[in-house]
Amino acid sequence: MQQHTTVIDKAAMALSGGLMLLGVVVLGIVEILAGQPYGAAPLTNDAGEVIATPMVDPTLRTGLVLAGLLVLALYGAYRLVAPTKDEAATAQQEITAD
């Protein structure tokens, strides 16, 4: 059985992959190039004052990755519901008239 990729398949894969790569890799490199701190929480001194914060908000990075996963989940649900070309042709051939 040969798999056919449609525009929806390619778009879903590109969008989800792009969102996750942007959230993890690209913004991770931006954080490394920006310097310390590398953690998600702001750095504080002994008095509790914030002395350094991450350049990119961790909520933004998490949101991008979750959006990519959401696109993949919606694409998976679409693939479960939408019939493939081979199944539609087979279903039409099985109907017989009496």
Side-chain angles (χ1 to χ4, degrees):
M1 178 191 235
Q2 185 179 7
Q3 294 290 331
H4 300 282
T5 58
T6 63
V7 175
I8 294 175
D9 296 337
K10 291 177 183 177
M13 288 184 265
L15 181 61
S16 66
L19 286 171
M20 288 190 281
L21 282 174
L22 177 65
V24 176
V25 178
V26 174
L27 292 180
I29 291 172
V30 168
E31 285 288 334
I32 290 172
L33 293 176
Q36 299 244 353
Y38 297 121
L43 287 178
T44 58
N45 60 12
D46 293 335
E49 298 170 338
V50 175
I51 55 173
T53 58
M55 181 174 180
V56 179
D57 188 20
T59 308
L60 175 67
R61 293 181 70 183
T62 304
L64 287 170
V65 173
L66 288 177
L69 291 174
L70 178 65
V71 169
L72 276 181
L74 291 174
Y75 169 68
Y78 161 77
R79 292 295 290 175
L80 284 173
V81 174
T84 61
K85 293 179 183 178
D86 296 335
E87 290 175 3
T90 305
Q92 291 176 356
Q93 291 174 354
E94 292 176 1
I95 299 173
T96 59
D98 289 332

